[in-house]
Amino acid sequence: ELSDLAEAFNGMLDRLEHSFEAEQRFTSDASHELRTPMTVILTQTELALEKERQPEEYRRALSVILRQGRRMHALIASMLDYTRIEMRPENYPLTDIDLSELADSTARDMALIRTQNITVTAQIQPGVRIRGNQLLLERALQNLIDNAYKYGKEEGHILVRLENKDKKVILSGIGFSLFVEIL
């Protein structure tokens, strides 16, 4: 009986340790995921307020702020879902995605950050479609560009390139590459 009790106690400690590690990962992931849209929102707000602008410039800034606010809302909802259920692939449904549009809009939004005067440009082949989860793909691309900013040189350049070549989608930039095979 004592052996069974010790085994049950060790199992409980292992589960607790796993829970604490998951909580630490969640906290780290949450802060990382929310940093990018918040930086874009703050940058756009600061630029809009630094001097008088034309109404169309204000509309563009507010459009970017709204889009990033929606992204933050979706990220928060996703992270809350993550805390409620174990992360499994079936929890992230796959849909037909216009990867060209996703990569272009993400690159344009991330170009607004301009950390260390680093510029972001995109060479996106139009009409590249894949089956995937839009939220996860968007997060992956934001993380790749965010890391390129983080490890890039001052006044450097980030090029985001997307091409469909021989049934392989290649998404690359300075310091990163993502290959997706189309089946």
Side-chain angles (χ1 to χ4, degrees):
E1 287 179 20
L2 198 54
S3 175
D4 289 342
L5 183 60
E7 191 174 312
F9 188 70
N10 285 338
M12 182 183 68
L13 289 176
D14 286 342
R15 286 189 303 277
L16 279 172
E17 183 177 350
H18 179 71
S19 293
F20 288 132
E21 288 171 1
E23 186 177 330
Q24 286 177 322
R25 268 194 319 274
F26 172 76
T27 303
S28 175
D29 290 347
S31 62
H32 182 76
E33 294 293 334
L34 293 173
R35 186 178 320 125
T36 299
M38 185 51 91
T39 301
V40 172
I41 288 170
L42 292 173
T43 301
Q44 280 298 292
T45 304
E46 288 168 357
L47 286 173
L49 293 174
E50 76 182 12
K51 67 178 182 174
E52 286 296 316
R53 303 201 180 269
Q54 296 296 316
E56 184 56 35
E57 291 176 293
Y58 285 121
R59 272 197 243 11
R60 274 196 304 267
L62 288 172
S63 176
V64 170
I65 291 168
L66 177 61
R67 189 170 50 246
Q68 290 300 320
R70 287 181 176 154
R71 278 193 179 141
M72 283 182 65
H73 184 270
L75 286 169
I76 290 167
S78 176
M79 286 186 264
L80 290 172
D81 287 344
Y82 176 74
T83 61
R84 293 183 191 121
I85 54 178
E86 284 184 26
M87 192 162 170
R88 295 184 190 144
E90 63 269 15
N91 293 332
Y92 294 92
L94 303 179
T95 59
D96 184 46
I97 297 169
D98 185 337
L99 189 58
S100 297
E101 185 179 302
L102 177 75
D104 187 56
S105 71
T106 303
R108 276 188 285 117
D109 288 348
M110 297 292 287
L112 300 171
I113 296 173
R114 296 190 61 86
T115 300
Q116 299 182 70
N117 287 324
I118 296 174
T119 59
V120 177
T121 58
Q123 292 177 355
I124 307 295
Q125 178 181 335
V128 176
R129 300 191 73 80
I130 64 168
R131 188 153 175 77
N133 182 279
Q134 181 157 343
L135 179 63
L136 294 178
L137 285 167
E138 186 174 45
R139 273 192 210 166
L141 184 54
Q142 284 176 346
N143 286 340
L144 290 169
I145 296 171
D146 189 45
N147 285 337
Y149 265 121
K150 204 177 293 178
Y151 299 107
K153 292 181 184 178
E154 189 164 338
E155 297 186 24
H157 180 252
I158 299 168
L159 169 65
V160 178
R161 191 175 50 140
L162 175 68
E163 62 181 309
N164 185 351
K165 189 175 182 179
D166 301 324
K167 289 195 164 199
K168 290 185 180 177
V169 175
I170 303 168
L171 179 61
S172 62
I174 297 173
F176 67 87
S177 291
L178 176 67
F179 299 91
V180 179
E181 189 164 352
I182 298 176
L183 303 173

